[in-house]
Amino acid sequence: MNEERIRRAMEQEPVLARVARAEEVFWMNPRYGGELPGDAPGDADIEDARQRLLRFAPFLRRRFPETLPDAGLIESPLREIPGMLRAMDCGLSGRLFLKMDSHLAIAGSVKARGGIYEVLKHAEELAFAGGLLRAGDDYGRLDSDEARAFFGRYTIQVGSTGNLGLSIGIMGAALGFRVVVHMSQDAMEWKKALLRESGVTVIEYADDYSAAVAEGRRRSDADPMSYFVDDENSRTLFLGYAVAAGRLEAQLRSAGIAVDEAHPLFVYLPCGVGGAPGGIAYGLKRRFGANVHCFFVEPVQSPCMLLGMASGLHSEVCVRDFGLTGITRADGLAVGRPSGFVGRMMEPFLSGEFTVRDGALFDDLRLLWQTEGVFIEPSACAAFAGPRRMAEAGEYLRAQGLEGRMGAATHIAWATGGSLVPEEIRAEALATNC
Ligand SMILES: *Cc1c(COP(=O)(O)O)cnc(C)c1O
């Protein structure tokens, strides 16, 4: 039974006892460098996703003119943040950058990668099957009354803590789909309101994320015209996120930043169910191999991916099994049960994990605002726990022979959301101490 397996896992992995006490920890992944599972996506799968996004660029340019500067691609700036690095005063060597998915077009969060990609892929499949599109067509024609009437016969449903619902709701509605978003109790009011304004049906649950997903899946499965975006298991979402790696490589190159044995790259990713950080890290590892080091960060009360990976039990465990509440002010990370698919894919690729107190998120939210004039949401601030606390990862650096190379390192804090946060909620976040 699970209780017995959890007890055994806690004996084997001492960090789990500290995680269960909601302490801030660093965990080094003992399976790092092993073999990928047999069902792991290949480079061709990521390339297929990249090509699909290119095909949709003419549609996105027409429907969302804010994507025009990037020619219809949804991509975010990579910005060096030396003021933040100085102010953190944490002894980190190398340069620190912010990957500003907080400012991605259309949805203002990292979910604009995976979530929008999955909606587009589903739309493409329906359009080809229904004769609305033929190979070689300009996808700009999907911005038409005919196309909207076509997609209007179909429903897309998703469970969300907020941002995934926003990305799927906005893009689904833009194509003409009926969209139903099942929102967990942690979802912010303004995210629900924004969705309703876009014509999306929002169903609220007095329960956590996993419950919202389960009910959404059940209702969708009961309707043959409905498609469910399954954040806990979706390979499609994962591949949409993985496309980020090639784009980041081009940005690093054009900024003159080398990534090789002498110049290691460190990437810090806030983690909820795992799809977004997992897909991005997966793409990065396939591109940069041993020269990139990916770390996830989760709140101390909802470290579901850490529990799943460190115990080896993946989606068979949830935070409540370890006596944790799952409650956090980082609404995007308030997930009690990890994606088993992502956990398995990350076993050989993830360097380690940090957990972080909510209070630290708000301190860094303020610090980033004061030093760089950039606002990102509390969940996104989890990324700073990595660079701030690299000293805790000394054992990893020694094991990888990285200690002498840190002066030439590049660190990227992956800012996962924030640009859509309304003014009054920003002011509240900037004034929060907890
Ligand atoms: C969704 C989200 C994450 C984490 O993504 P998962 O796929 O749930 O792991 C991190 N930050 C923000 C702001 C998010 O919305």
Side-chain angles (χ1 to χ4, degrees):
M1 261 282 308
N2 242 8
E3 259 171 50
E4 175 55 23
R5 294 164 74 197
I6 289 169
R7 198 185 55 73
R8 240 183 296 134
M10 289 184 80
E11 273 169 24
Q12 275 165 21
E13 190 52 273
V15 79
L16 286 173
R18 295 178 53 218
V19 176
R21 288 197 298 271
E23 290 176 25
E24 285 190 332
V25 304
F26 170 71
W27 170 71
M28 178 167 133
N29 176 14
R31 298 183 185 86
Y32 180 70
E35 293 287 311
L36 271 176
D39 60 339
D43 293 340
D45 298 312
I46 301 173
E47 175 60 16
D48 176 59
R50 190 184 77 85
Q51 292 287 347
R52 182 165 293 106
L53 288 167
L54 282 176
R55 291 197 291 278
F56 272 97
F59 166 74
L60 293 176
R61 284 199 295 270
R62 277 179 62 156
R63 195 66 179 72
F64 297 95
E66 74 245 49
T67 64
L68 275 170
D70 283 316
L73 296 186
I74 304 170
E75 195 44 72
S76 72
L78 177 69
R79 168 172 160 176
E80 187 162 19
I81 46 171
M84 179 69 178
L85 178 58
R86 252 191 318 278
M88 285 202 301
D89 192 23
C90 55
L92 185 77
S93 308
R95 295 167 73 181
L96 178 62
F97 290 76
L98 193 67
K99 181 58 179 155
M100 296 176 70
D101 279 8
S102 46
H103 293 66
L104 277 175
I106 303 173
S109 84
V110 68
K111 305 298 193 308
R113 298 185 184 278
I116 288 178
Y117 173 68
E118 183 148 354
V119 171
L120 298 178
K121 179 164 191 276
H122 179 57
E124 186 182 57
E125 278 163 12
L126 290 175
F128 273 87
L132 187 67
L133 274 183
R134 273 173 244 275
D137 275 353
D138 179 333
Y139 284 25
R141 62 185 297 170
L142 295 180
D143 182 30
S144 64
D145 290 339
E146 183 201 358
R148 278 183 286 275
F150 173 83
F151 292 124
R153 294 183 295 157
Y154 300 93
T155 303
I156 297 178
Q157 309 203 42
V158 64
S160 175
T161 60
N163 285 337
L164 184 63
L166 277 182
S167 79
I168 284 174
I170 293 170
M171 188 52 61
L175 281 158
F177 284 104
R178 296 168 27 159
V179 184
V180 183
V181 178
H182 302 265
M183 287 278 203
S184 60
Q185 63 187 0
D186 314 278
M188 307 272 287
E189 282 307 321
W190 68 265
K191 292 181 183 175
K192 297 177 199 165
L194 186 59
L195 276 174
R196 288 187 172 119
E197 279 163 33
S198 315
V200 170
T201 303
V202 176
I203 303 181
E204 301 176 54
Y205 295 86
D207 207 333
D208 73 357
Y209 176 71
S210 309
V213 170
E215 181 60 13
R217 189 188 287 125
R218 194 187 65 75
R219 289 201 196 193
S220 185
D221 288 351
D223 176 357
M225 297 299 273
S226 176
Y227 176 83
F228 186 64
V229 177
D230 190 345
D231 200 13
E232 291 177 335
N233 301 292
S234 172
R235 292 171 80 91
T236 302
L237 279 175
F238 192 77
L239 289 169
Y241 291 121
V243 172
R247 309 242 188 104
L248 179 69
E249 184 178 33
Q251 285 180 323
L252 289 167
R253 203 181 309 117
S254 68
I257 297 163
V259 180
D260 53 34
E261 228 179 293
H263 302 87
L265 175 65
F266 291 79
V267 181
Y268 310 97
L269 298 140
C271 179
V273 74
I280 292 168
Y282 189 84
L284 289 170
K285 289 302 283 183
R286 292 200 76 104
R287 272 196 181 243
F288 295 114
N291 299 323
V292 65
H293 308 274
C294 299
F295 297 86
F296 289 175
V297 187
E298 293 179 288
V300 290
Q301 285 291 349
S302 64
C304 64
M305 185 57 71
L306 172 53
L307 292 172
M309 290 190 72
S311 68
L313 297 173
H314 297 299
S315 56
E316 292 170 59
V317 285
C318 70
V319 298
R320 285 188 205 139
D321 293 337
F322 291 81
L324 297 170
T325 62
I327 295 170
T328 167
R329 297 285 299 264
D331 52 312
L333 314 181
V335 178
R337 190 179 294 279
S339 161
F341 165 67
V342 172
R344 287 191 302 108
M345 294 304 147
M346 284 299 108
E347 276 190 351
F349 277 173
L350 188 69
S351 297
E353 270 241 21
F354 294 87
T355 61
V356 64
R357 288 176 301 110
D358 281 9
L361 304 179
F362 287 94
D363 291 344
D364 280 336
L365 185 149
R366 252 187 306 279
L367 204 58
L368 184 68
W369 174 249
Q370 287 159 359
T371 57
E372 304 284 349
V374 176
F375 178 90
I376 62 176
E377 61 185 272
S379 302
C381 294
F384 291 114
R388 204 180 248 302
R389 290 166 40 204
M390 245 350 242
E392 293 173 35
E395 189 189 349
Y396 175 80
L397 300 183
R398 275 190 296 283
Q400 298 298 318
L402 288 163
E403 279 174 310
R405 302 179 199 166
M406 295 307 280
T410 301
H411 303 269
I412 297 179
W414 209 285
T416 43
S419 66
L420 294 188
V421 177
E423 191 47 50
E424 65 276 17
I425 310 285
R426 286 181 190 219
E428 201 183 298
L430 283 163
T432 297
N433 280 295
C434 60

